[in-house]
Amino acid sequence: MTNRSGSPIWHPFTQHGLMPSMMPIASASGAWLETPDGTKLLDAISSWWVITHGHCHPKIVDAISQQAQTLDQVIFAGFTHEPAETLARSLIDFAPRGLEHVFFSDSGSTSVEVALKMALGYFRNIGEERSRIVAFEHAYHGDTVGSMSVGARGVFSSPYEPLLFDVLRIPFPSAGNEQLTIDAFAAACAAGDVAALIVEPLILGAGGMLIYDASVLRELRRVADAHGVLLIADEVMTGWGRTGRMLACDVAGIAPDIMCLAKGITGGSMPLAVTLCTAPIFDAHRSHDRSRMFFHSSSYTANPIACAAAVANLEIWRDEPVVDRLAALVDAHAARLAAFRDNPHFENVRQLGTIAALDFKVADGGYLASVAPALSRYFLERGVLLRPLGNTIYVMPPYCITGQELDLVYSAIADAPDWLARQTT
Ligand SMILES: *Cc1c(COP(=O)(O)O)cnc(C)c1O
């Protein structure tokens, strides 16, 4: 049986039984997607959180096209190339102090797998028996088996549960409960077998845009240091401006031992990821002994075209007023969100940097909240791409979005309760 459109394609996080056909997209520019028949759709979720400056930024498009004609791909074991070297140096320049080495891969999930393997390899090589990973409740770190293991468990992980490894879960540090989280982490560390704590700094993305206080990160850093535990910052979503600064770690003023970056690293144009680490972690793998090397690679590690796109992204950060754009978007969200604070249909109106979120009041919340697919369809009818997480509606647009475009998004959200009421009566 094919999906009803006759296509053999199996789409991600898609229930084909409920969604008979996919919307074709032919082109994109700035904050807009366009279908083959010319219908325009405002991309209010940055095409799953990857597009930062806007679609088809000319400098990134140029860099890709130049690089594709020069060096398309080369094995990265034993070889190197200029786009990767330039990118690695630039990444180290802006990364928090202490991060000195760059390992390339090609997706956020893989960058997390690499981070976990780095942590365990480090302790193996320095002769300490530590292999336990600590992670937040509600965390999301990807969909491969290892990254799923450190993420929250639920309906989306239950078929694969037998393959997932155990992690120590600490409570999400919701407002007022910060000390619980810190105490739980300290208690976990006391056992002596903890290798690393993995966190999404400041905001849990797929877990529902759950924001927590930066002071928690500083405390967790302190506890980790006291116990020789590595801190892994998964900045796959938060990196590249989402929090209003380049990195969430900058906002919190912390330096992790390992940091994962993906999504916006190429401005959203090409799949690429990096895992940054400190000198001690690299040095523990460096030896004359082949059995101590870091056993990881993917075929496309540091693909030159993807690296060139990422170098162009960094040049945009350097040469264009990206920081001003971020500040304007932060203000633009705040001005529009204010109206929802006393709207009885919504609750938990919140914002972190360029990410705005609010919860639709419904009886059954959670990821499978029946309201989500209906809302998605409604937003598409309004010409806006939004993809609620359960009953959480979030707006995470590319930074080129204008105030007027943002108004289209927020007016569609404001009208959603009425539309929904009409569907059920
Ligand atoms: C999206 C995401 C990932 C996974 O990245 P992919 O490129 O989709 O594999 C990992 N961690 C966080 C925090 C994410 O938001």
Side-chain angles (χ1 to χ4, degrees):
M1 206 166 115
T2 59
N3 65 47
R4 215 180 298 163
S5 61
S7 167
I9 296 173
W10 192 341
H11 288 262
F13 270 89
T14 298
Q15 179 44 275
H16 282 270
L18 294 171
M19 218 183 163
S21 64
M22 304 296 130
M23 178 176 283
I25 297 297
S27 63
S29 174
W32 294 90
L33 301 167
E34 197 171 328
T35 66
D37 68 10
T39 304
K40 287 187 135 201
L41 204 55
L42 186 54
D43 188 355
I45 58 163
S46 297
S47 283
W48 244 347
W49 318 351
V50 300
I51 299 292
T52 49
H53 312 295
H55 285 273
C56 293
H57 190 293
K59 286 179 190 153
I60 295 176
V61 172
D62 269 359
I64 290 173
S65 114
Q66 292 292 323
Q67 188 58 44
Q69 298 170 54
T70 316
L71 175 66
D72 51 355
Q73 166 68 358
V74 62
I75 175 175
F76 208 59
F79 294 84
T80 191
H81 51 78
E82 201 267 329
E85 295 292 341
T86 305
L87 176 57
R89 277 193 305 274
S90 312
L91 290 170
I92 294 307
D93 278 349
F94 77 76
R97 142 190 54 78
L99 295 173
E100 291 179 15
H101 297 276
V102 179
F103 191 93
F104 287 97
S105 60
D106 37 32
S107 75
S109 301
T110 318
S111 73
V112 168
E113 301 283 351
V114 166
L116 299 172
K117 286 173 72 172
M118 275 180 180
L120 264 71
Y122 167 72
F123 285 112
R124 160 66 68 89
N125 287 348
I126 65 168
E128 272 189 49
E129 272 187 40
R130 290 176 181 249
S131 59
R132 191 169 290 281
I133 305 292
V134 181
F136 273 8
E137 177 192 15
H138 306 307
Y140 177 79
H141 296 289
D143 288 332
T144 53
V145 170
S147 62
M148 226 191 328
S149 295
V150 289
R153 308 295 165 86
V155 61
F156 38 84
S157 63
S158 65
Y160 326 111
E161 201 69 39
L163 294 182
L164 305 184
F165 58 78
D166 262 348
V167 301
L168 254 167
R169 198 75 58 188
I170 57 174
F172 173 75
S174 53
N177 293 314
E178 290 88 352
Q179 196 57 43
L180 277 179
T181 303
I182 294 153
D183 292 345
F185 180 51
C189 288
D193 62 347
V194 174
L197 165 68
I198 182 165
V199 298
E200 295 163 86
L202 296 182
I203 180 167
L204 276 54
M209 301 299 160
L210 305 174
I211 299 168
Y212 63 96
D213 201 77
S215 62
V216 176
L217 285 172
R218 292 190 286 273
E219 275 304 292
L220 294 174
R221 172 75 276 186
R222 192 184 56 73
V223 174
D225 280 341
H227 293 87
V229 170
L230 300 176
L231 177 61
I232 303 172
D234 175 355
E235 291 244 19
V236 170
M237 189 275 273
T238 50
W240 307 105
R242 295 297 175 196
T243 64
R245 299 274 296 272
M246 177 89 96
L247 299 170
C249 285
D250 298 337
V251 177
I254 57 152
D257 302 287
I258 300 177
M259 190 166 80
C260 304
L261 291 169
K263 294 199 167 111
I265 189 170
T266 59
S269 62
M270 296 279 294
L272 184 72
V274 290
T275 308
L276 275 53
C277 73
T278 59
I281 295 170
F282 177 81
D283 292 344
H285 289 83
R286 184 192 160 110
S287 116
H288 293 295
D289 178 354
R290 289 179 59 78
S291 74
R292 294 164 66 95
M293 76 168 100
F294 186 50
F295 296 104
H296 196 93
S297 166
S298 32
S299 311
Y300 286 101
T301 301
N303 172 261
I305 305 173
C307 287
V311 170
N313 168 44
L314 275 160
E315 286 168 1
I316 293 166
W317 273 87
R318 190 193 59 202
D319 300 338
E320 293 188 17
V322 179
V323 173
D324 297 343
R325 277 179 214 145
L326 295 178
L329 181 51
V330 171
D331 292 346
H333 272 314
R336 287 161 182 80
L337 272 181
F340 289 86
R341 290 192 204 277
D342 34 44
N343 182 325
H345 297 290
F346 296 95
E347 58 191 343
N348 303 323
V349 178
R350 57 201 184 273
Q351 177 182 5
L352 176 72
T354 71
I355 306 167
L358 63 178
D359 298 344
F360 206 91
K361 270 193 205 159
V362 283
D364 70 328
Y367 184 80
L368 294 185
S370 49
V371 70
L375 279 176
S376 292
R377 278 196 305 277
Y378 156 76
F379 288 125
L380 289 181
E381 280 168 28
R382 293 285 299 252
V384 175
L385 170 54
L386 283 172
R387 199 173 190 277
L389 290 160
N391 63 321
T392 298
I393 300 172
Y394 67 91
V395 188
M396 196 194 293
Y399 311 144
C400 63
I401 196 165
T402 64
Q404 276 171 333
E405 289 165 343
L406 213 50
D407 284 337
L408 296 177
V409 180
Y410 280 99
S411 62
I413 297 173
D415 296 343
D418 274 356
W419 178 86
L420 213 60
R422 283 201 305 278
Q423 303 313 298
T424 46
T425 52

